[in-house]
Amino acid sequence: MSKNKSENRNFEIPRPEFPKRAVITGGMPYGNKELHFGHVGGMLVFADTYARFLRDRIGKENVIFVSGTDCYGSPIAEGWRQKVEKGEFTGSLEEFVLQNHEKQKKTLEAYGISPNLFGASGLGRSKEIHAEVTNWFLKSLYEKKQLNKLSTMQFFDEKAGVFLNGRQVIGKCPVEGCQSEKGYADECDLGHQYMPENLIHPVSTLTGETPTMKPVTNWYFKLRDYETLMLEWVEELKKRKDIRPVVWKTIDEFLKPPVIYIKREFEEIYFDLKNQLPKHEYLEEKKKPSFTIAFENLSDCDDACRILTKNHIRYRTGKTLVPFRLTGNVEWGVPAPVLEDEEALTVWVWPESLWAPISFTEAYLEQIGHDRSEWKNFWCSKDSNIYQFIGQDNIYFYGIAEPAMWMAQQDSEQKNSNPSESELQLPLIVANHHILFLDKKASSSGAVKPPMADDLLNFYTPEQLRMHWLGLGLGQRSVSFMPKPFNPSAKPDDSDPVVKDGLLLSNVYNRMIRTAFYTTQKYFDGILPDVAPEEKFLADGKKAVLDYERHMSKFAFHQCTYVLDSYIRNGSKYMSKALKGEEQNPDEVAQALANLFYMIRIAGILLHPMAPFGTEKLREYLQVDERIWSWEFIFEPLNYFTGEKHQLKFLPPKTDFFTRHESQFETGK
């Protein structure tokens, strides 16, 4: 029997194209907490799966996956202050962040999340590099005349005698249609931006008093200047099949003229004041409980808001582009460069978190002995793509503020050129819808407390959870996570959806692998039969690979799990027919094993990004090197990677590659 080292086969249908290099980023968790299930199951598992896929697809040396702890800002400082006040923590603010950073890293390792660097914007070498990048970024924007120094009103707690930053003030979001009761200084917990003076019913978290307003000076990015380019860009996004509608629809909402919505009960007063307001258009919408007035520019809209407030008229503002604040006076932040004669400021946490992945890329390159300047090969080269995995609440920052600032990094005379010519490549945003918990939106600061990611590992294996989350279809809609041990409404006889989704691996695929190994040990002393798989199995494998690749190119992870489900179950059916258990002709068994191992090998490479622990164990027992995961050889049978009379590692009885959690056996789930 001769070894079959087949040539790479031609493809009948066009295959999706992938870049030569890629950066994958995962949204940064705040440094005031451990990771809850939403961080991992709503975003980081998807980023990790795509990073692992691209490592196999284009070579791991061409892929950099970075994330890290968001160390700065008022949420972290306020979280630390409250814990110290309650006696729950006794260390410094930096020690508080470090403790949470280390916990976050351990959680990611437990789930098999594999960033090349999980940095920290305020710790160690990552902190130093991040400060340098921040300094460069702001100075560059200033030199390109893309910044404005504006005096705006900031909340001031008269009782405490201090300005209030970010999470130190809370009220109701003033943006029309937003139901958030967690409106902070100039953004709500759903990501809507507004001017501080528009916050409804503000209260100081320090004293419970209603704060006053005092003027402060900060640097703002001229976000509205990029409205035209953003409109052109979003039209391009609408044509792309790899951009989820939630991304361009959300961006679209902010690219509209500034408007104010006024309750009908104030219509008569409005008409009395109409001539005092800046030039605007009155929009009659008889069936709605409010009417709309639209303005040509944001400053006129702001002036109108002040007049309406002065006259006690209730209103809400529409979503629109407002100047993007870059600096603040919170002490716990990255120091901002002094650009003119302003007092020393720090950088607001949101903008610096947008370029933190660049800092982390530089830190990683330095860590592996490369020149930090090589970051441009990944972030600026047109041969490279930037994939940013986020939740839908953060589209404003990653889909509006970041692309506009990236456009601004061009020379000022190029500002109106095609944004694709920008030095910094515009990101490809992969935004998931909300992952709900027991049918409600979960937040660690809300009434519905989500389970911590570590707590879930007391009931499930990492791969059960990874496969369940990847199969939810979060790219299409918000979906509820319903783990039975955390669901008080679950009945004893109810099945657990997480366990159910994991059965494909722990039952079906596991049985295929064990049967192939035990049969090889029984008939051939564990030596891999040197037989080519039959054409039907080559064709079936090819179809599965191409379907999976097509879905993965569009980030349709749930569709990839469907491909695997069908392929593995068909393989199991073939196994049951071809290897009946009784004594069989060795030549027939050898052919059946060649076919079965080919299906195991194809399923393994497709599963490798999703279920890394079990698939690496499979590679260990197959005794082959990492080339088995490379898509350069994806259609080759196992014996392409082996020598003559290849000995598989002995598989002891009842050895599992994929298993259920021990608690599931104890309870008989």
Side-chain angles (χ1 to χ4, degrees):
M1 292 180 285
S2 62
K3 179 177 291 187
N4 173 35
K5 290 192 176 182
S6 62
E7 298 179 357
N8 287 329
R9 296 165 177 79
N10 294 324
F11 301 97
E12 292 79 13
I13 59 174
R15 296 176 68 187
E17 294 184 2
F18 294 92
K20 291 183 179 179
R21 288 176 296 278
V23 175
I24 291 87
T25 76
M28 297 165 60
Y30 276 138
N32 60 344
K33 63 186 75 174
E34 300 175 37
L35 298 180
H36 63 69
F37 88 93
H39 291 124
V40 179
M43 181 268 296
L44 283 167
V45 158
F46 295 86
D48 180 69
T49 297
Y50 199 72
R52 288 178 178 275
F53 164 73
L54 281 185
R55 288 169 184 152
D56 294 343
R57 185 68 181 76
I58 65 175
K60 62 182 180 181
E61 70 280 3
N62 298 315
V63 178
I64 297 179
F65 170 26
V66 290
S67 184
T69 303
D70 206 350
C71 296
Y72 290 117
S74 58
I76 289 89
E78 182 65 7
W80 169 75
R81 183 190 69 80
Q82 291 179 8
K83 284 190 175 292
V84 170
E85 191 176 83
K86 295 175 184 176
E88 296 174 1
F89 190 81
T90 58
S92 68
L93 178 50
E94 187 166 337
E95 289 170 337
F96 174 67
V97 172
L98 176 61
Q99 180 187 85
N100 288 317
H101 172 66
E102 293 299 329
K103 288 179 180 178
Q104 290 173 2
K105 283 179 66 175
K106 288 180 180 178
T107 300
L108 296 184
E109 290 169 4
Y111 275 92
I113 310 292
S114 60
N116 294 82
L117 179 78
F118 186 73
S121 57
L123 299 171
R125 183 60 177 148
S126 293
K127 171 183 177 177
E128 297 170 351
I129 294 175
H130 185 54
E132 292 177 26
V133 172
T134 297
N135 191 70
W136 160 75
F137 204 95
L138 291 186
K139 281 187 173 180
S140 179
L141 288 178
Y142 177 75
E143 290 165 1
K144 292 175 167 61
K145 303 185 187 306
Q146 303 309 306
L147 301 185
N148 269 339
K149 187 163 62 172
L150 301 176
S151 180
T152 60
M153 304 302 287
Q154 184 171 336
F155 293 107
F156 186 83
D157 189 320
E158 297 286 353
K159 186 174 182 179
V162 296
F163 280 104
L164 301 176
N165 291 289
R167 302 296 174 94
Q168 292 176 332
V169 62
I170 189 166
K172 190 170 183 178
C173 179
V175 174
E176 174 67 13
C178 181
Q179 300 300 314
S180 174
E181 299 288 341
K182 287 187 175 4
Y184 304 113
D186 52 11
E187 64 161 333
C188 75
D189 63 342
L190 298 180
H192 297 140
Q193 302 289 294
Y194 43 81
M195 301 309 285
E197 53 264 40
N198 292 335
L199 180 64
I200 299 171
H201 304 313
V203 174
S204 168
T205 63
L206 300 184
T207 63
E209 301 288 324
T210 299
T212 58
M213 303 293 291
K214 291 189 177 184
V216 294
T217 299
N218 276 299
W219 287 104
Y220 287 76
F221 169 63
K222 298 178 181 179
L223 181 58
R224 198 162 185 86
D225 285 6
Y226 291 85
E227 183 175 17
T228 300
L229 286 178
M230 294 296 294
L231 284 166
E232 293 172 1
W233 183 52
V234 81
E235 288 304 312
E236 291 299 314
L237 297 184
K238 292 176 183 179
K239 300 173 186 176
R240 296 181 56 164
K241 294 182 179 179
D242 55 354
I243 301 294
R244 293 169 175 170
V246 67
V247 173
W248 56 259
K249 285 181 179 179
T250 302
I251 297 173
D252 239 0
E253 291 176 359
F254 287 92
L255 300 178
K256 295 176 181 177
V259 297
I260 297 175
Y261 302 95
I262 303 175
K263 290 279 189 181
R264 287 282 175 197
E265 61 193 84
F266 298 101
E267 194 165 19
E268 188 175 331
I269 304 175
Y270 156 75
F271 280 119
D272 291 339
L273 294 171
K274 181 178 179 181
N275 293 333
Q276 297 180 33
L277 301 177
K279 181 182 176 183
H280 65 277
E281 181 182 2
Y282 171 85
L283 304 177
E284 177 60 73
E285 298 170 291
K286 292 183 178 180
K287 294 184 179 181
K288 293 187 177 181
S290 62
F291 60 94
T292 306
I293 54 177
F295 298 83
E296 292 182 1
N297 57 68
L298 186 63
S299 61
D300 284 349
C301 183
D302 289 340
D303 289 342
C305 286
R306 283 187 276 273
I307 294 171
L308 295 175
T309 300
K310 184 178 179 181
N311 287 275
H312 309 291
I313 294 177
R314 290 177 58 192
Y315 64 88
R316 287 221 168 178
T317 54
K319 296 177 183 178
T320 191
L321 297 184
V322 298
F324 187 56
R325 181 166 65 88
L326 298 181
T327 63
N329 52 16
V330 60
E331 186 176 344
W332 180 243
V334 183
V338 177
L339 301 175
E340 291 181 356
D341 57 353
E342 74 276 5
E343 294 182 9
L345 299 168
T346 52
V347 182
W348 184 36
V349 64
W350 257 114
E352 52 98 348
S353 72
L354 296 177
W355 56 73
I358 296 176
S359 309
F360 294 161
T361 301
E362 290 194 39
Y364 168 68
L365 290 168
E366 181 182 90
Q367 190 179 91
I368 61 173
H370 288 217
D371 193 296
R372 280 170 50 191
S373 65
E374 291 182 26
W375 74 270
K376 289 189 175 183
N377 295 337
F378 287 87
W379 283 86
C380 302
S381 170
K382 292 181 182 178
D383 291 334
S384 182
N385 278 357
I386 315 299
Y387 302 95
Q388 297 195 308
F389 286 77
I390 63 171
Q392 72 175 93
D393 285 350
N394 294 332
I395 292 174
Y396 175 86
F397 298 103
Y398 289 92
I400 295 176
E402 180 183 299
M405 288 194 295
W406 267 220
M407 293 173 187
Q409 284 294 357
Q410 304 171 69
D411 291 332
S412 56
E413 63 268 18
Q414 294 179 328
K415 194 172 75 171
N416 294 317
S417 66
N418 189 320
S420 66
E421 299 298 319
S422 174
E423 182 182 10
L424 279 164
Q425 292 299 301
L426 296 183
L428 198 160
I429 301 163
V430 189
N432 275 345
H433 289 263
H434 298 301
I435 182 168
L436 308 174
F437 177 59
L438 306 182
D439 291 328
K440 295 181 181 179
K441 186 181 178 185
S443 168
S444 56
S445 59
V448 181
K449 302 296 182 186
M452 293 294 105
D454 286 347
D455 293 341
L456 292 170
L457 295 177
N458 293 324
F459 300 92
Y460 305 104
T461 69
E463 294 187 328
Q464 283 180 316
L465 289 161
R466 287 177 67 114
M467 294 300 293
H468 177 69
W469 287 327
L470 290 167
L472 287 179
L474 289 172
Q476 296 181 315
R477 66 195 186 285
S478 295
V479 183
S480 192
F481 179 50
M482 306 285 287
K484 187 175 178 181
F486 295 86
N487 184 0
S489 300
K491 298 176 182 177
D493 294 336
D494 289 347
S495 63
D496 189 326
V498 182
V499 175
K500 182 180 177 182
D501 284 350
L503 293 179
L504 176 70
L505 303 188
S506 61
N507 283 13
V508 187
Y509 190 46
N510 208 53
R511 188 165 57 245
M512 283 176 63
I513 300 171
R514 296 202 313 188
T515 299
F517 271 83
Y518 294 149
T519 304
T520 304
Q521 289 169 187
K522 175 181 177 181
Y523 281 86
F524 306 108
D525 294 325
I527 295 175
L528 184 70
D530 198 7
V531 179
E534 296 175 274
E535 280 299 322
K536 175 189 182 309
F537 297 90
L538 296 175
D540 289 346
K542 177 179 176 181
K543 182 180 185 308
V545 166
L546 295 181
D547 286 346
Y548 176 100
E549 181 186 52
R550 177 167 48 85
H551 294 314
M552 190 64 83
S553 72
K554 293 183 281 191
F555 315 105
F557 298 97
H558 65 296
Q559 297 284 8
C560 292
T561 65
Y562 298 162
V563 170
L564 277 160
D565 187 274
S566 176
Y567 187 70
I568 289 172
R569 292 188 189 281
N570 286 337
S572 179
K573 291 176 184 176
Y574 169 75
M575 176 194 71
S576 298
K577 289 181 180 178
L579 299 173
K580 300 181 178 64
E582 66 267 15
E583 290 298 323
Q584 294 178 261
N585 181 295
D587 288 341
E588 292 178 356
V589 172
Q591 184 62 68
L593 285 172
N595 298 336
L596 183 58
F597 270 117
Y598 187 73
M599 287 185 284
I600 290 169
R601 177 263 193 287
I602 291 294
I605 191 171
L606 300 185
L607 271 171
H608 187 232
M610 299 178 171
F613 298 119
T615 49
E616 282 296 335
K617 185 173 181 179
L618 170 63
R619 184 177 73 83
E620 174 194 344
Y621 275 82
L622 289 173
Q623 306 235 79
V624 293
D625 60 37
E626 289 190 340
R627 288 180 306 151
I628 191 177
W629 306 134
S630 171
W631 279 60
E632 182 180 354
F633 313 108
I634 193 164
F635 295 111
E636 302 297 349
L638 267 178
N639 55 16
Y640 181 87
F641 306 97
T642 66
E644 298 288 339
K645 297 186 180 299
H646 180 71
Q647 183 77 50
L648 303 175
K649 184 175 179 179
F650 178 76
L651 187 68
K654 298 182 179 180
T655 301
D656 287 317
F657 292 84
F658 304 89
T659 186
R660 293 158 64 182
H661 192 273
E662 58 185 14
S663 67
Q664 295 161 21
F665 295 104
E666 293 169 3
T667 59
K669 295 177 184 175

